[in-house]
Amino acid sequence: MSTTTVSTWIDSITVEELEKDPNPIYERLRKEAAPVVFLPAIGLHVATTAEACREIASNSELWYGFISPAGGRTFGHGAILNENGPLHEDLREMVEPSLKPSVVDQYVEDLVRPIARKFLAEFENDGHADLVAQYAEQVSVRSLGDLLGLNSVSSDKLREWFHKLSVSFTNAAMTEDGEFANPEGFTPGDEARAEIRSIVDPLIDNWIVNPDHSMLSHWLHDGMPAGQTRDREYIYPTLYVDLLGAMQEPGHAIASTVAGLWSRPEQFERVIDDPSLIRRAIQESVRWTSPIWSATTRQAQQATTVQGVDLPEGTVVMMSYGSANRDENVYNAPSEYDLDRRPAPHLAFGAGKHGCAGTYFATEVIRIGLEELFEAIPNLERDEDHEIDFWGWGFRGPKELHAKWEV
Ligand code: V55
């Protein structure tokens, strides 16, 4: 930073405060700061408004997919998030076939409903549960785990992996000199990666000679000349993306939807009585508390101006979609969960060429998970003995969600 820069409240924002609750800080940023502003705590700019995020995300010629320093340290480089041009096209073509809505419709009910039923059966007669650990995370990881072909990896192992990768990916604090402020914070990610390799490498060895219908087998074989497979080193960074965000976020969304509805008891009752409202409840939930709150970056390929802010070539901008989705210029009373608000587009799944490839699949997992939960336990209530503690800036959702019901 230049020596003439005047110290402001923005300079004293810490990653810890953001993780506890980014909302009041971003509310003030949207009100008092430029829509794209440098945040010293992370050594990057952040885009805070809907207009700024949309403008950057939709211009993929100027704004390339990029990965934050902590993200690159966690996944390695060459993930789908930060490849551009033909390599990015190849990775999208690799992941998209099983995620196309018409394809998802063919398998998702048979995949997810039995998984949801199995986990519900484990606690539905208990009269109480932590819906995050016992249900939302379980349904999320088992559904994608089975789709990928990781049937032999336990759900608790998949949960451990995404938790460890997430801690590492979001270890975003930087020193003034551009060094990681907490280098030891990458250890969980390093451990998870080593364990993933030790378990997935033998599976890949087998898929190379015995292709099957699993998504990872398709990643290896699809679009390759006969007798050839994609190099595993090419695939792994994108597999880590899935083993973090795609594993974690449907679970966050299931839990945040329940928490949002609990903030409006009358709306909660309406959704229990009419499951066709669940789709609307999910869209409002991911607007209200976006699971991927601030985890993806773009880099300017040349000097440019965004919403009046001049940015030099090479500027890296963190897309704070969770803030864009609470932009007062787009939504009335944005901090309130409201099933009845006039639907407006949101940015919970990003936009443009790097927009989420799993939007439809994830939304279906969330929908079926909630349908089965509300069907099995229509008298579900919040357990008021526990606070609902939302946590996270990169990724956000309730840490625990305690429910009770009469059995
Ligand atoms: C992002 C998404 C991820 C992830 C890390 O959009 C960052 C950002 C879908 O998974 O693992």
Side-chain angles (χ1 to χ4, degrees):
M1 293 210 312
S2 82
T3 48
T4 54
T5 303
V6 179
S7 174
T8 72
W9 66 276
I10 297 170
D11 299 344
S12 62
I13 297 170
T14 67
V15 171
E16 243 184 327
E17 290 169 330
L18 289 168
E19 289 180 326
K20 198 157 180 292
D21 189 357
N23 288 305
I25 297 167
Y26 273 85
E27 192 181 322
R28 189 166 172 201
L29 285 170
R30 291 192 303 273
K31 199 178 289 172
E32 296 178 20
V36 181
V37 62
F38 187 76
L39 212 57
I42 60 167
L44 303 174
H45 285 72
V46 290
T48 65
T49 67
E51 273 186 320
C53 286
R54 197 171 288 284
E55 178 178 332
I56 293 169
S58 54
N59 189 347
S60 57
E61 298 303 311
L62 177 60
W63 289 98
Y64 271 22
F66 195 77
I67 197 158
S68 66
R73 171 68 180 74
T74 302
F75 290 162
H77 291 271
I80 196 166
L81 301 173
N82 61 296
E83 286 293 358
N84 294 281
L87 275 178
H88 180 247
E89 267 165 46
D90 178 69
L91 288 165
R92 289 295 292 215
E93 282 168 17
M94 178 181 88
V95 304
E96 277 171 358
S98 351
L99 300 173
K100 277 207 309 228
S102 60
V103 176
V104 173
D105 282 343
Q106 290 169 29
Y107 66 74
V108 77
E109 290 279 338
D110 292 344
L111 173 71
V112 182
R113 251 181 237 288
I115 290 170
R117 282 295 322 147
K118 171 186 170 282
F119 287 111
L120 283 164
E122 288 177 13
F123 65 78
E124 65 190 340
N125 296 320
D126 292 354
H128 62 91
D130 168 11
L131 294 178
V132 170
Q134 292 178 256
Y135 190 66
E137 292 186 350
Q138 302 287 358
V139 171
S140 184
V141 301
R142 194 67 274 149
S143 299
L144 178 61
D146 288 0
L147 181 67
L148 284 167
L150 303 179
N151 311 60
S152 60
V153 184
S154 76
S155 303
D156 285 337
K157 183 55 72 183
L158 293 170
R159 290 171 62 221
E160 182 190 323
W161 286 349
F162 85 59
H163 277 292
K164 285 180 158 182
L165 291 170
S166 186
V167 163
S168 186
F169 188 96
T170 60
N171 182 26
M174 302 296 281
T175 68
E176 268 180 57
D177 307 325
E179 308 281 342
F180 290 122
N182 306 302
E184 71 289 350
F186 296 109
T187 305
D190 294 343
E191 288 170 4
R193 259 196 338 275
E195 194 176 35
I196 290 164
R197 293 289 313 227
S198 77
I199 289 174
V200 177
D201 270 339
L203 297 174
I204 291 178
D205 293 338
N206 180 54
W207 279 314
I208 288 172
V209 287
N210 301 307
D212 65 17
H213 292 297
S214 69
M215 201 159 147
L216 285 177
S217 181
H218 281 292
W219 285 16
L220 288 161
H221 291 275
D222 279 8
M224 297 298 285
Q228 288 182 41
T229 47
R230 283 191 181 79
D231 191 332
R232 73 187 67 195
E233 303 309 327
Y234 175 77
I235 285 175
Y236 265 114
T238 294
L239 178 59
Y240 300 140
V241 174
D242 271 28
L243 292 179
L244 196 187
M247 286 287 178
Q248 177 169 249
E249 304 325 324
H252 270 155
I254 289 171
S256 290
T257 303
V258 174
L261 287 168
W262 278 347
S263 74
R264 305 293 290 259
E266 175 271 332
Q267 298 188 355
F268 179 66
E269 288 308 319
R270 272 164 52 207
V271 173
I272 296 272
D273 292 343
D274 179 2
S276 73
L277 293 172
I278 289 175
R279 288 178 192 277
R280 177 92 275 282
I282 294 166
Q283 292 308 311
E284 171 61 356
S285 164
V286 298
R287 179 208 65 82
W288 175 65
T289 300
S290 305
I292 299 187
W293 210 98
S294 191
T296 176
T297 52
R298 298 287 193 280
Q299 185 182 45
Q301 299 307 295
Q302 56 190 67
T304 185
T305 303
V306 175
Q307 305 292 315
V309 183
D310 292 330
L311 301 165
E313 177 183 341
T315 301
V316 177
V317 176
M318 174 63 81
M319 309 295 281
S320 291
Y321 290 130
S323 172
N325 287 339
R326 289 192 179 204
D327 187 331
E328 296 76 4
N329 290 323
V330 181
Y331 310 98
N332 279 328
S335 63
E336 281 175 32
Y337 182 92
D338 184 5
L339 190 66
D340 297 325
R341 74 170 60 251
R342 182 152 44 84
H346 61 69
L347 282 161
F349 297 96
K353 277 198 177 169
H354 285 273
C356 178
T359 303
Y360 189 81
F361 174 75
T363 306
E364 289 292 275
V365 171
I366 299 159
R367 173 181 66 82
I368 296 168
L370 289 169
E371 284 176 9
E372 290 295 328
L373 174 66
F374 295 160
E375 158 104 23
I377 315 176
N379 54 348
L380 190 77
E381 283 175 44
R382 182 178 161 199
D383 182 346
E384 310 268 352
D385 290 345
H386 298 263
E387 290 294 309
I388 300 180
D389 217 354
F390 281 86
W391 188 87
W393 165 72
F395 308 102
R396 189 162 181 82
K399 282 207 293 206
E400 299 177 356
L401 195 65
H402 291 273
K404 59 178 185 170
W405 58 96
E406 298 283 332
V407 287

